[in-house]
Amino acid sequence: MKESQKKDYEEILGLLKSQGGVYDLKLITKAYEFCLVHHAGQKRWTNEEYYIHPFNVAKIIIGLGMDSCAIAAALLHDIVEDTEVTIEDIKKEFGEEVALLVDGVTKIGRLSFTSKEQQQAESLRKMLIAMGKDIRVIIIKLADRLHNMRTLDAIPEQKQRDKSLETLEVYSPIAHRLGIRPIKEELEDLAIKHLDSIAYDEIEELLKVRKQNREQILEEIKNRIEQRLREEMPGVNLSFQGRVKSIHGIYRKMYIQGKNFDEIYDVYAIRIITDHVADCYNILGIMHDMFRPIPNRFKDYISTPKPNMYQSLHTTVISREGLPFEIQIRTFDMHHTAELGIAAHWKYKEGITGSDQKMEQTLEWIRQILESQEESGDASELVRSIKVDLSQEDVFAVTPKGDVINLPVGSTVVDFAFAIHSAVGIRMVGAKVDGKIVPINHEIKTGEVIEILTTNQAGHGPSRDWVNIAVTNQAKSKIRSWFKKERKAENILEGRTNFDRELKRNAISLTDEEYTELVDDIAHRMHFENSDEFYAAIGYGGILLSKIIPRIRDDYSKIANASKSTEIREIKPRKSHSSEGVIIEGIDNCLVKLSRCCAPLPGDEIIGFITRGHGVSVHKRDCNNVPKDISTASEPERWIPAYWNANKTNSFATSLMISALDRDGILGDVMNTVYNMRIAVHSVNAHQIKGGNCVITITISVENVEHMMSIISRLEKLTGVFSVERTGQ
Ligand code: MN
């Protein structure tokens, strides 16, 4: 061993000692030596000796408190891929357990996530299967990716960007879902640093400048809190920490949500850690006595943990100096879970942290995702569902009995119903939120009490549109599987009708023979047993026609192209009616106008306002121009109930704002999506914003809110799209 290698070995020993666990030193030492011998002479892209990489990955693994086998596997993780050593050799030298881990990491390493959607999904599926077998595999892979990201500067720029994007799309969401916060945040910060270095530097600079002014204030606040708590709670074990929000976290708020740096209230946080849950709530009370809390910023993740097991109380308050900051209160147990997530399972194996239950929850989550993918068969759905299920924010709503249901932001009452039980979802006919009937696409907000109205009528089932209204994977796949099972014959018929209609719309005309050949060919290519199975899959929504038609169109045009000149089809925007489709209570034949400020759509709750001489203008009930409480408005008699006339089908203009990564072809993809759904477009406006992002605003004709939601959900699936929002209020 060289001098430097000896020093590195001692560093490992030191780290193991500071972890305080019981380790198999013989195994770890042997793995370290094995790594030195077999990587000898190899260089990394950074021009360092290769062993430096596995050595650093092992250090990260030790820091997470993982066991000896995981540490050995971290040291050996690149051996099979990069040297002559085989997995059999590893098994002979280090035993079955280490060999399985190395094999898992090697296999994940070969998966590609930067490729086409279909392959990306397949790669994700394989990774989830590997995770399901042994979570340690993915933890080692995360550590591997982290060290590679730390040393990314040495590789070509395009590769830096690819790796960074892959890190943001695949690895950091998984680290988040497994609750390993430090790794998640460092991965995200490093990715942003390479994807948008200008914004990264800007935020870093902002933090530095603000820190100079604020460090002292925060230090004083911390001291004041500490003094008060020690006075009021003598003998209680307390620990205090200060924390600054991650750069990526600030980046999201500034560049994606468009906030000003000073509008972000939780850049600074003070963390208070204690022994018992009851003391957490006591401390919260004292904090709200000391500082003025900002309304609606209190979150109780103790009584309702996040899906990744995170528990804490969060509240945002304002100091005497006018500086907003967050206070996080939790027990030491919760703190370990917040920092280590699933890795706490190994560190506190013998403790009483209940981490085995957490392990089970995580495995259950992986199983669910894999199962639902088998049902939908659409690979891009898997990518999307992982993104949704891994999303950062959650809402909490309550059943009338008081059970809390935890769902991703954007979930609708459909998701809520299926989250209670699939039988509830299937029998749902409507929903009440806080006692009032709401449309089925009602987006759930935290704290709402939701009652699902059901029917016992035989043969009742969900509506097909619900697949588009639901956000969670769980609801979508349950709706699909219901259609798949219950309505086979109908599905085939529906699928065939839709398919034929699409062909017609695309001006594809085929002889009977050509038609049969085409369908058999597609069915075969998509691994269906026969053409009926293919039609049925279209029918229950397992495959999207918009995905397969472009290819058929291309194939067809190649054949038909020879002599005929290509016909260019134009879509004329349908007229958007303004005065029809709304019923004003007690008034017939009056002039009705849909207000411009909020552009209501069928499905929105609406209200009329009797104008002076311009008839009735119709607003969304929650439009800013409508008083919250009509009875206290200045002229209450002018506000008048209005309803949508369900018998009229009209189209209405609505505007959508799409925030996306400013990548090549993004506008084309948006337009293509809309074109494929045969939506008339009235105007398009796209512009770049800071940080390599762009905002596209399109005004289109839609039939109603459900229709609009289905367009939004298609657009959200596009690569690089962060959010799609209806503009107006
Ligand atoms: Mn590696």
Side-chain angles (χ1 to χ4, degrees):
M1 245 189 256
K2 284 189 227 157
E3 211 39 55
S4 63
Q5 295 171 340
K6 237 180 241 160
K7 241 177 79 197
D8 287 340
Y9 176 65
E10 270 152 28
E11 195 179 342
I12 289 185
L13 292 184
L15 281 172
L16 291 175
K17 207 167 182 188
S18 69
Q19 284 290 326
V22 184
Y23 290 99
D24 183 346
L25 275 184
K26 237 173 91 186
L27 182 81
I28 296 169
T29 307
K30 191 173 164 193
Y32 183 70
E33 282 164 354
F34 199 86
C35 161
L36 290 183
V37 169
H38 290 278
H39 283 304
Q42 290 179 346
K43 287 267 163 94
R44 281 196 86 213
W45 61 50
T46 53
N47 218 16
E48 297 161 300
E49 282 183 74
Y50 197 90
Y51 89 94
I52 292 289
H53 169 63
F55 162 69
N56 273 289
V57 175
K59 284 203 314 194
I60 297 168
I61 289 298
I62 297 170
L64 289 171
M66 303 291 292
D67 60 1
S68 305
C69 280
I71 298 166
L75 287 165
L76 302 170
H77 82 269
D78 276 332
I79 292 246
V80 174
E81 189 67 23
D82 295 343
T83 74
E84 301 287 290
V85 177
T86 65
I87 203 72
E88 290 306 315
D89 300 335
I90 302 270
K91 200 163 159 186
K92 239 186 286 154
E93 295 287 329
F94 298 94
E96 183 110 27
E97 199 177 341
V98 175
L100 279 174
L101 292 174
V102 172
D103 193 38
V105 178
T106 307
K107 281 184 179 146
I108 292 180
R110 291 182 187 144
L111 302 176
S112 163
F113 299 100
T114 47
S115 49
K116 293 221 173 67
E117 222 174 30
Q118 185 83 24
Q119 285 163 340
Q120 187 186 29
E122 190 50 31
S123 295
L124 270 174
R125 206 175 61 84
K126 286 186 179 149
M127 182 149 85
L128 287 168
I129 292 170
M131 279 166 75
K133 282 194 195 137
D134 194 326
I135 293 258
R136 286 177 295 180
V137 169
I138 192 68
I139 299 177
I140 297 168
K141 188 65 206 170
L142 287 171
D144 174 43
R145 174 51 61 107
L146 179 59
H147 184 248
N148 284 338
M149 288 297 290
R150 282 178 184 165
T151 49
L152 207 57
D153 288 331
I155 64 172
E157 206 166 309
Q158 186 53 45
K159 268 196 155 171
Q160 292 180 12
R161 295 183 68 87
D162 287 349
K163 288 260 176 225
S164 298
L165 207 56
E166 184 181 274
T167 297
L168 273 190
E169 290 198 327
V170 178
Y171 290 102
S172 86
I174 286 177
H176 172 68
R177 192 58 176 71
L178 298 181
I180 314 175
R181 191 192 56 81
I183 290 194
K184 171 204 172 239
E185 288 187 351
E186 194 181 342
L187 282 175
E188 286 171 345
D189 283 0
L190 288 166
I192 282 299
K193 188 174 174 183
H194 290 95
L195 283 172
D196 192 346
S197 59
I198 296 175
Y200 182 92
D201 292 344
E202 202 174 302
I203 295 171
E204 217 178 23
E205 186 61 29
L206 277 167
L207 281 172
K208 215 163 74 195
V209 172
R210 296 294 197 284
K211 202 175 161 202
Q212 287 161 0
N213 312 332
R214 291 179 180 176
E215 207 159 20
Q216 206 185 343
I217 303 181
L218 283 159
E219 195 53 38
E220 276 167 22
I221 293 173
K222 210 170 91 184
N223 291 340
R224 237 155 64 210
I225 292 176
E226 185 162 357
Q227 197 187 351
R228 169 89 180 257
L229 287 179
R230 299 241 184 256
E231 261 166 39
E232 297 219 13
M233 307 173 83
V236 173
N237 187 11
L238 294 166
S239 163
F240 297 86
Q241 294 179 350
R243 143 172 166 87
V244 180
K245 197 177 183 69
S246 75
I247 291 192
H248 177 262
I250 297 172
Y251 180 88
R252 278 175 61 91
K253 296 219 163 161
M254 283 178 73
Y255 296 93
I256 297 171
Q257 297 178 16
K259 283 190 178 150
N260 200 307
F261 185 86
D262 292 305
E263 290 170 332
I264 308 171
Y265 291 153
D266 55 355
V267 169
Y268 304 97
I270 288 173
R271 200 174 273 156
I272 307 168
I273 311 170
T274 184
D275 282 331
H276 304 291
V277 173
D279 285 332
C280 293
Y281 289 95
N282 289 336
I283 294 169
L284 178 74
I286 298 171
M287 290 304 103
H288 282 178
D289 182 48
M290 282 182 81
F291 304 99
R292 189 157 59 81
I294 297 178
N296 301 323
R297 299 276 310 191
F298 168 62
K299 292 184 199 117
D300 183 351
Y301 295 121
I302 289 185
S303 65
T304 315
K306 288 194 185 185
N308 68 2
M309 307 166 279
Y310 178 86
Q311 284 186 295
S312 200
L313 298 176
H314 287 191
T315 183
T316 308
V317 300
I318 296 181
S319 77
R320 272 198 299 227
E321 298 83 359
L323 179 68
F325 64 98
E326 188 174 75
I327 301 177
Q328 304 176 348
I329 309 164
R330 55 177 78 151
T331 66
F332 287 98
D333 267 358
M334 292 170 188
H335 185 60
H336 293 312
T337 303
E339 294 295 300
L340 294 174
I342 194 78
H345 169 84
W346 286 272
K347 180 148 197 185
Y348 301 97
K349 229 177 189 170
E350 284 119 88
I352 39 159
T353 53
S355 47
D356 274 322
Q357 191 201 335
K358 288 166 189 165
M359 188 72 155
E360 264 314 300
Q361 281 174 11
T362 306
L363 292 176
E364 182 53 34
W365 166 73
I366 294 167
R367 256 176 245 134
Q368 260 192 19
I369 288 204
L370 284 173
E371 261 168 37
S372 59
Q373 199 252 340
E374 270 160 30
E375 251 157 35
S376 90
D378 180 358
S380 58
E381 192 64 31
L382 178 73
V383 179
R384 177 167 161 75
S385 67
I386 288 181
K387 283 182 191 158
V388 169
D389 282 2
L390 294 171
S391 70
Q392 315 261 340
E393 302 290 333
D394 302 288
V395 290
F396 303 93
V398 189
T399 66
K401 281 184 193 151
D403 294 329
V404 177
I405 307 271
N406 182 349
L407 292 163
V409 160
S411 293
T412 59
V413 288
V414 176
D415 296 296
F416 187 86
F418 280 93
I420 297 174
H421 196 279
S422 49
V424 175
I426 286 174
R427 290 190 292 119
M428 173 164 79
V429 287
K432 276 184 181 177
V433 168
D434 296 332
K436 275 192 217 137
I437 299 262
V438 294
I440 217 113
N441 59 12
H442 172 85
E443 201 175 289
I444 296 171
K445 287 170 214 75
T446 290
E448 286 178 339
V449 178
I450 301 177
E451 183 187 348
I452 300 296
L453 310 171
T454 56
T455 173
N456 281 325
Q457 198 192 326
H460 180 86
S463 146
R464 286 185 199 274
D465 316 338
W466 291 7
V467 175
N468 298 324
I469 293 170
V471 168
T472 55
N473 200 31
Q474 188 189 20
K476 279 175 192 279
S477 75
K478 280 178 180 167
I479 298 164
R480 278 201 200 99
S481 75
W482 187 86
F483 277 108
K484 195 172 166 185
K485 286 191 200 103
E486 302 286 318
R487 299 280 158 94
K488 184 82 188 262
E490 272 180 43
N491 286 333
I492 295 174
L493 193 67
E494 164 115 12
R496 177 158 189 162
T497 316
N498 287 347
F499 183 70
D500 291 350
R501 198 174 50 219
E502 281 302 308
L503 292 185
K504 222 181 245 163
R505 276 194 170 133
N506 284 281
I508 298 173
S509 62
L510 301 166
T511 64
D512 286 356
E513 260 167 40
E514 285 169 337
Y515 179 89
T516 318
E517 198 182 319
L518 172 76
V519 173
D520 286 347
D521 182 44
I522 305 173
H524 178 74
R525 209 165 54 205
M526 300 183 80
H527 308 293
F528 288 106
E529 269 177 34
N530 52 46
S531 51
D532 273 359
E533 297 289 330
F534 165 67
Y535 290 133
I538 300 173
Y540 70 79
I543 49 177
L544 294 173
L545 279 170
S546 58
K547 283 266 159 63
I548 58 173
I549 287 292
R551 181 159 171 189
I552 297 174
R553 202 168 49 207
D554 287 351
D555 289 351
Y556 176 75
S557 67
K558 267 180 217 142
I559 304 162
N561 214 350
S563 58
K564 290 173 208 160
S565 63
T566 326
E567 223 178 293
I568 297 170
R569 282 161 20 90
E570 209 177 308
I571 349 170
K572 287 216 177 86
R574 276 190 273 172
K575 254 202 192 132
S576 76
H577 301 266
S578 58
S579 62
E580 281 165 316
V582 177
I583 300 168
I584 305 292
E585 198 171 62
I587 306 179
D588 285 327
N589 290 329
C590 70
L591 178 63
V592 175
K593 259 184 155 170
L594 299 180
S595 75
R596 285 233 177 139
C597 54
C598 54
L601 291 178
D604 284 327
E605 204 183 331
I606 49 175
I607 188 162
F609 180 71
I610 305 170
T611 64
R612 293 183 207 282
H614 304 287
V616 175
S617 86
V618 173
H619 293 261
K620 279 169 71 178
R621 183 62 191 84
D622 56 4
C623 171
N624 279 348
N625 294 325
V626 178
K628 285 228 158 49
D629 184 1
I630 302 291
S631 58
T632 61
S634 60
E635 294 172 281
E637 68 286 350
R638 291 175 69 182
W639 293 100
I640 181 164
Y643 311 101
W644 295 102
N645 184 350
N647 298 324
K648 289 256 186 199
T649 45
N650 284 326
S651 60
F652 300 83
T654 193
S655 296
L656 300 179
M657 191 175 89
I658 302 155
S659 309
L661 201 68
D662 188 15
R663 63 166 174 85
D664 281 346
I666 180 80
L667 187 60
D669 286 354
V670 167
M671 295 311 288
N672 244 333
T673 306
V674 179
Y675 173 82
N676 282 333
M677 292 180 82
R678 290 164 310 284
I679 311 290
V681 178
H682 303 303
S683 75
V684 184
N685 174 11
H687 64 273
Q688 290 177 311
I689 54 170
K690 268 191 207 164
N693 297 325
C694 65
V695 170
I696 301 167
T697 311
I698 53 174
T699 305
I700 51 177
S701 278
V702 301
E703 276 149 16
N704 52 36
V705 171
E706 276 181 24
H707 186 212
M708 179 191 70
M709 296 302 286
S710 72
I711 299 167
I712 289 180
S713 92
R714 295 270 175 97
L715 289 172
E716 279 175 344
K717 285 183 192 169
L718 294 176
T719 315
V721 169
F722 306 122
S723 72
V724 181
E725 273 163 2
R726 179 178 174 186
T727 61
Q729 298 126 1

